[in-house]
Amino acid sequence: MTAAAPAPAWASDAYAAALRSGRGPLFLRGADGRRLPLDVERWCARPAPADLTVLRRCAGSVLDIGCGPGRMVAALARAARPALGIDTAPAAVALTRREGGTALLRSVFQPLPAEGWWGSVLLMDGNIGIGGDPAALLARVRRLLAPGGLLLAEAAPADVDERLDVRLDPGGPGPLGPPFPWARVGPSALRTHARSTGWRPTGQWTVDDRTFLAFT
């Protein structure tokens, strides 16, 4: 495995400012000009009812990949559950720690603590798109989990399967961030990518128009 440095895109001033204020606008902007909204308000709030359905399914120690400002990690910490968040944005890691969670400034493709021993891994909020290669990400997650461990992933609301280069767009004054690879993966495509990398689907559910899948 080649270690990858934290992505500079998520260290941008626009992302840090949005997290500090707890609100957008903030978008992922594709090369074709399409803007995909990022739900900063939800990320910075306490876990929503849909998030709670994921938290209730977590087993053992939990690794939250792309934890953002840490709502999931902090909720687990409040429940005295062992959890670690990782993120490539310094502002996200700082906010997670401020909320009482444990977090590291780290890419999922860098060496991580307790590799092969995590009970559950979370890929929330579109984070199946990290790196722009869902199969590579899912293969990496398999190496992080303990035997029989649980992956809980959020799919895109539409049944899409696309790779794209995007930039962070503050939706107003201010420059676009540097380009980086991303992916959007709906439920059917997520199951296909998961099976191709050795995962077995064990559940799917939808709450408030958000769809989640579980794999072992």
Side-chain angles (χ1 to χ4, degrees):
M1 179 183 67
T2 301
W10 294 101
S12 72
D13 291 341
Y15 185 51
L19 292 187
R20 285 194 296 268
S21 68
R23 62 182 184 274
L26 191 66
F27 304 89
L28 293 179
R29 185 183 182 95
D32 60 359
R34 180 174 37 147
R35 296 201 302 185
L36 305 170
L38 299 176
D39 198 347
V40 177
E41 290 86 350
R42 176 167 59 77
W43 298 352
C44 292
R46 288 291 180 99
D51 297 323
L52 296 178
T53 67
V54 175
L55 290 170
R56 285 195 290 267
R57 287 170 167 81
C58 289
S61 57
V62 181
L63 178 66
D64 186 0
I65 296 171
C67 65
R71 73 185 189 282
M72 304 294 279
V73 175
L76 289 162
R78 288 191 294 270
R81 300 280 303 278
L84 172 69
I86 60 169
D87 206 284
T88 59
V93 171
L95 285 168
T96 299
R97 292 172 177 171
R98 191 183 73 184
E99 292 299 313
T102 301
L104 293 177
L105 183 66
R106 201 74 58 87
S107 161
V108 64
F109 296 107
Q110 291 181 297
L112 294 174
E115 293 200 15
W117 293 99
W118 293 99
S120 301
V121 168
L122 304 183
L123 284 171
M124 302 287 288
D125 306 320
N127 285 335
I128 186 63
I130 289 172
D133 186 342
L137 178 59
L138 289 164
R140 171 60 174 146
V141 172
R142 283 198 68 81
R143 297 193 293 270
L144 298 174
L145 278 167
L150 180 66
L151 168 61
L152 297 163
E154 183 171 356
D159 222 349
V160 297
D161 188 10
E162 62 176 344
R163 318 288 175 270
L164 56 164
D165 286 329
V166 296
R167 299 171 182 259
L168 281 174
D169 179 353
L176 300 178
F180 60 98
W182 197 251
R184 296 180 67 232
V185 182
S188 296
L190 179 51
R191 287 193 298 271
T192 298
H193 289 300
R195 289 190 180 101
S196 75
T197 48
W199 293 94
R200 180 174 65 90
T202 60
Q204 178 176 328
W205 65 102
T206 299
V207 180
D208 295 334
D209 297 322
R210 295 170 62 196
T211 298
F212 307 93
L213 293 92
F215 302 92
T216 58

